[in-house]
Amino acid sequence: MSEQQTKLSEQEMKTYRVQGFTCTNCASIFENNVKELPGVQDAKVNFGASKVYVKGNTTIEELEKAGAFENLKIRNEKEQRVEREPFWKQKENIKVYISALLLVISWFLGEQYGEEHILPTTGYAASILIGGYSLFIKGLKNLSRLNFDMNTLMTIAILGACSNW
């Protein structure tokens, strides 16, 4: 390969930082989505380093659309690290707080009235619904497509836990 071709291939490969990966399976899905973008010849995701290497032309907006299923945030490798808001201040975690509060209240009600009483049972069910609703819906959609990922497995675990009631 000539020196000019080597420089051209090096110029085409761009590195981006990815924020928001939750599992290696999601990284693999993201990699496949990026490979399908127009103008992209190849892509490789490094889950451990939270990076994506893209050969071809694309924009950060297109990459974020490819990672929209996981709400991934993409930035150029040379950009300084974006400060993340702490977990307890993030608005999307309000469901976690409500679910945890319901869980604690239901536990206390179970201690007072007994586990078989309708109040703690209703509280536990509400806690599961509020805390796991989005995961459950994703899992059911994936299960209907026979696409097994973390969401599908967690949905099956929720169904199994609820069957013991």
Side-chain angles (χ1 to χ4, degrees):
M1 198 174 353
S2 73
E3 185 177 320
Q4 185 178 13
Q5 288 175 327
T6 305
K7 286 183 181 178
L8 182 62
S9 65
E10 287 175 4
Q11 289 173 349
E12 290 179 10
M13 187 64 82
K14 295 179 185 172
T15 304
Y16 300 93
R17 295 195 179 274
V18 183
Q19 183 179 338
F21 282 138
T22 57
C23 65
T24 55
N25 187 42
C26 299
S28 175
I29 293 170
F30 175 64
E31 181 179 299
N32 290 333
N33 288 350
V34 171
K35 286 179 180 179
E36 293 175 7
L37 290 173
V40 173
Q41 288 127 16
D42 194 22
K44 290 285 181 206
V45 170
N46 183 332
F47 175 73
S50 295
K51 292 183 180 182
V52 61
Y53 306 96
V54 180
K55 186 175 183 180
N57 294 324
T58 189
T59 64
I60 290 178
E61 291 79 22
E62 289 174 329
L63 291 172
E64 286 187 343
K65 284 181 187 176
F69 69 97
E70 189 76 350
N71 294 326
L72 299 178
K73 301 294 180 214
I74 313 294
R75 66 181 192 278
N76 221 329
E77 182 185 37
K78 297 190 187 345
E79 280 185 39
Q80 292 296 324
R81 180 181 163 99
V82 177
E83 289 299 317
R84 287 193 332 178
E85 201 173 10
F87 175 81
W88 59 87
K89 291 184 180 180
Q90 295 175 10
K91 289 181 182 178
E92 59 267 9
N93 293 327
I94 190 75
K95 291 187 280 182
V96 173
Y97 304 134
I98 293 170
S99 181
L101 182 64
L102 281 170
L103 190 64
V104 170
I105 291 170
S106 299
W107 182 76
F108 280 117
L109 288 173
E111 291 293 314
Q112 188 172 11
Y113 295 110
E115 291 292 326
E116 299 299 322
H117 195 271
I118 190 71
L119 286 176
T121 303
T122 303
Y124 289 136
S127 177
I128 289 171
L129 287 174
I130 292 169
Y133 178 76
S134 58
L135 179 140
F136 189 74
I137 295 302
K138 285 181 191 175
L140 282 179
K141 286 179 182 175
N142 288 342
L143 187 60
S144 69
R145 295 184 203 122
L146 297 177
N147 180 13
F148 294 97
D149 66 356
M150 183 180 65
N151 295 320
T152 312
L153 297 175
M154 290 302 296
T155 298
I156 293 168
I158 290 169
L159 292 172
C162 289
S163 70
N164 288 332
W165 273 351

